[in-house]
Amino acid sequence: MMNAAVSCDGEKVATGLNIEERGWLVSLLGQKVHFDVPMRRHTTLAVGGPADALAMPADIKDLTTLLSGARQRAIPWLIVGGGSNLLVRDGGVRGIVIALTPYFKGITTIGHGRESVRVAAKAGTRLQTLCRYTIERGLAGITFAVGIPGSVGGAIAMNAGTADGWISDVLETITVLWPTGRLQRLSRADLDFGYRRLYLPTPQITAGDHQGVIIEGTFAFPRADVQQLRINSQKIKERRRRRQPVGVSSAGCFFKNPPSGPSAGELIDKAGLKGKRVGGAEISFRHGNFIINRGNASAADILTLADIIEARVAVEFGVRLEPEVIIVGESNHASKSI
Ligand code: EPU
């Protein structure tokens, strides 16, 4: 069980993993688990307190044992991909953060059709590696993602997309590992994609399968001309460099675009908020929907700035902005759970 204390309001507060839990993780993963790991090193926003444990399972067996053991011990866990759409609060994450990027990697061509080619990519593969792989083989459909950081699993879970395309357009199947060890292949038709979200079907088969992990995706990419793809990808990169802050710490767009009307970036811009700072966090001058870390921001700085944006946009335009970024962990003061 987690070590637990009781806060002044009587709520149970987790204080980390106990010796038995740490010992179990070391016996299972050896060098592939680290403790009290600052999450700022694992997120592109470069903020966030420590994860009690950062586990890097090498294969499905490791991952299954990890998930079932965590369930038995009631230890919460969280899968991270490239950490590019994740804001970890300053108090860090209680439980186990599971990174698939070190070992769940690889791309394989699994079928050649006349019009398209089927490709499988493991969840921890970098999205940019998949983009390069497809472009060099004359495969279209994912060029929109050129320049988007993160992993294939993260891109599927977040339904990555732009005006030029969405990952859900080319996805054929995903393989999900449930904590009981059951592997399930789900086809595109079984999946409920939303704006920047994939809702996995609620499992009904086995008790304990309460949270699944995407470990692989297969895609059908239409055939296209390599030269044309290279030109398109160059254009997309250039447009991104022109319109978005590149090479600085951020989580990309911070807020979802409202369902209709002006984009979040445009509203923030029109509210005159560009350049506004709280501590080391700043609203980008280049794109209003990017909050950037100028080097020394805390998660609290970023969240305070986000609150200011939400309040100002609500007052000026009557629009309620919602973060697109996933916010997890505990703040330093009140201990809220994931
Ligand atoms: N705009 C402004 N001021 C700004 C920013 C934008 O007036 O500071 C205006 C633009 O001129 C344009 C409109 O707002 O008329 C839309 O801007 P943009 O083309 O930059 O697209 P966006 O809606 O802000 C979306 C995605 C991005 C993706 C781009 C490129 C969301 C929340 N954002 O941005 O995704 O890269 O399209 O296609 O859907 C991300 O998800 O992290 C992300 C960056």
Side-chain angles (χ1 to χ4, degrees), residues 115 117 128 130-147 164 170 221-238:
E115 309 266 292
V117 172
Q128 288 317 291
L130 182 60
C131 286
R132 272 199 304 277
Y133 182 98
T134 52
I135 291 165
E136 290 313 311
R137 285 164 181 77
L139 305 177
I142 200 160
T143 320
F144 75 85
V146 167
D164 300 320
V170 279
F221 295 117
R223 292 181 191 276
D225 176 61
V226 177
Q227 273 319 320
Q228 198 50 53
L229 288 172
R230 286 190 185 139
I231 292 167
N232 288 352
S233 114
Q234 208 47 44
K235 275 191 194 149
I236 287 171
K237 264 193 221 158
E238 275 158 24

Side-chain angles (χ1 to χ4, degrees), residues 162 195-196 240 243-244 253 257 263 269 274 287-288 324:
T162 71
Y195 175 55
R196 292 289 191 270
R240 209 180 289 283
R243 297 167 87 141
Q244 299 180 357
C253 283
N257 278 338
S263 68
D269 189 352
K274 279 180 159 181
H287 194 298
E324 172 195 301

Side-chain angles (χ1 to χ4, degrees), residues 159 187-194 197-201:
N159 190 14
S187 63
R188 171 72 184 83
D190 301 325
L191 300 176
D192 180 13
F193 278 104
R197 288 290 182 279
L198 162 62
Y199 303 96
L200 287 179

Side-chain angles (χ1 to χ4, degrees), residues 260-281:
S260 59
S263 68
E266 193 173 340
L267 292 172
I268 296 165
D269 189 352
K270 284 198 174 137
L273 287 166
K274 279 180 159 181
K276 179 154 187 67
R277 278 199 194 189
V278 173

Side-chain angles (χ1 to χ4, degrees), residues 90-118:
D90 297 313
V93 183
R94 302 291 71 79
I96 308 168
V97 169
I98 303 173
L100 300 183
T101 40
Y103 296 104
F104 280 72
K105 285 196 287 207
I107 305 176
T108 324
T109 294
I110 51 174
H112 292 268
R114 199 181 314 163
E115 309 266 292
S116 65
V117 172
R118 297 183 58 233

